[in-house]
Amino acid sequence: MSEVADHTATQASAPSEDVPLIFLHQVERHYRQGEDTLHILKGAELAVWPGESVALVAPSGAGKSTLLHIAGLLEHPDRGDVYIDSRSTALLSDAERTAIRRSDIGFVYQSHRLLPEFSALENVMLPQMIRGLSRNEAKARASELLGYLGLAERVTHRPAELSGGEQQRVAIARAVANAPRVLLADEPTGNLDPGTADRVFNALTQLVRASGLATIIATHNMDLAARMDRRVTLRNGIIEEMP
Ligand code: ADP
């Protein structure tokens, strides 16, 4: 594992321990629906430090996906700001936001979204090659990550030849392939049976701790949430810490 952690540390600039890697500050978001305005986020505050995993547990419709999209710079908040490693993103151009998203943020979704015509290895290599790594460098990193996630025997398989849990572990490897600082996951084990969800979750949390990522995972699963460093919920558009 230390190799995965070292690799991550050498690719990203060294994170400072005393600032959060991601900080949502007074984030507001509303949607217009006909005559009405839905106020989904009303000043949400959330800071996540390096190596820290935070479970976001809230009922459907509370705004978890909205919060993750804003945290991942996929959507703009109506007010407030998202700081990535102390850098304000509010006034950045779309190109600058995209560059930060590509280099610093990894996403895992409920469905794996792997490319069906490519092998597990190729799916993890592709984002690295898009960022400019050579084929050999990308292959070495992809093999190492898939091996770490227990998929050494599956690297040549296409997604359709993998189980749901294996597909999701490939998606995790792909999300961290470019050594992001922040990992955002939206119900990553939502489609898996409890035993498989447990194994995927273990792999994810081990990777987070070993590589110093800051992670926010939206989940309905309280057993899994209980194993993360912190739990928060969204109540009336505000983030509240849970015991
Ligand atoms: P969760 O992930 O907690 O289920 P979401 O963030 O997906 O919640 O959605 C929160 C609320 O915002 C829901 O009521 C949803 O219908 C509404 N919503 C989300 N996206 C949009 C949109 N693009 N336009 C209008 N309403 C939206």
Side-chain angles (χ1 to χ4, degrees):
M1 175 62 232
S2 63
E3 282 176 35
V4 173
D6 290 349
H7 204 109
T8 303
T10 50
Q11 283 197 2
S13 52
S16 164
E17 288 292 334
D18 49 14
V19 292
L21 278 183
I22 184 158
F23 175 34
L24 281 79
H25 180 51
Q26 289 297 316
V27 166
E28 296 183 21
R29 185 75 174 114
H30 60 258
Y31 295 114
R32 292 225 162 272
Q33 213 167 53
E35 300 283 285
D36 297 335
T37 304
L38 290 174
H39 292 276
I40 304 301
L41 302 175
K42 302 184 198 168
E45 292 268 326
L46 180 62
V48 188
W49 271 261
E52 188 179 39
S53 57
V54 175
L56 174 59
V57 188
S60 193
K64 300 183 297 297
S65 298
T66 301
L67 186 107
L68 290 178
H69 288 163
I70 290 172
L73 311 183
L74 290 164
E75 256 185 62
H76 286 272
D78 296 308
R79 295 187 71 173
D81 201 350
V82 177
Y83 294 83
I84 305 288
D85 201 13
S86 304
R87 183 182 184 195
S88 162
T89 60
L91 300 176
L92 298 181
S93 67
D94 283 347
E96 288 168 319
R97 289 165 65 88
T98 301
I100 293 180
R101 197 161 57 239
R102 288 208 179 125
S103 63
D104 289 348
I105 302 172
F107 289 93
V108 182
Y109 299 93
Q110 183 165 4
S111 62
H112 57 75
R113 302 190 184 188
L114 298 171
L115 297 171
E117 66 273 33
F118 291 102
S119 68
L121 191 69
E122 288 163 340
N123 265 284
V124 183
M125 288 169 65
L126 278 170
Q128 302 177 72
M129 292 171 71
I130 290 167
R131 272 202 78 202
L133 255 67
S134 73
R135 198 180 163 76
N136 282 343
E137 287 170 311
K139 192 170 180 178
R141 166 89 174 150
S143 304
E144 183 187 327
L145 276 169
L146 289 168
Y148 178 69
L149 291 166
L151 295 168
E153 312 292 313
R154 297 282 181 277
V155 292
T156 59
H157 291 221
R158 291 184 184 190
E161 299 162 341
L162 298 169
S163 70
E166 288 168 345
Q167 290 167 347
Q168 211 46 337
R169 279 183 281 157
V170 177
I172 292 167
R174 180 187 53 182
V176 300
N178 281 332
R181 326 282 291 277
V182 174
L183 184 66
L184 304 172
D186 201 350
E187 301 276 359
T189 59
N191 286 338
L192 304 175
D193 65 75
T196 307
D198 198 58
R199 282 194 293 282
V200 169
F201 203 81
N202 276 344
L204 184 58
T205 45
Q206 267 178 36
L207 191 66
V208 169
R209 293 207 174 104
S211 57
L213 281 160
T215 306
I216 306 172
I217 304 183
T219 180
H220 277 117
N221 187 326
M222 278 309 291
D223 291 339
L224 299 183
R227 283 155 39 190
M228 298 182 65
D229 295 324
R230 274 164 61 205
R231 283 145 295 286
V232 299
T233 191
L234 265 171
R235 192 164 291 131
N236 297 323
I238 304 286
I239 289 277
E240 291 181 2
E241 298 284 331
M242 296 170 81

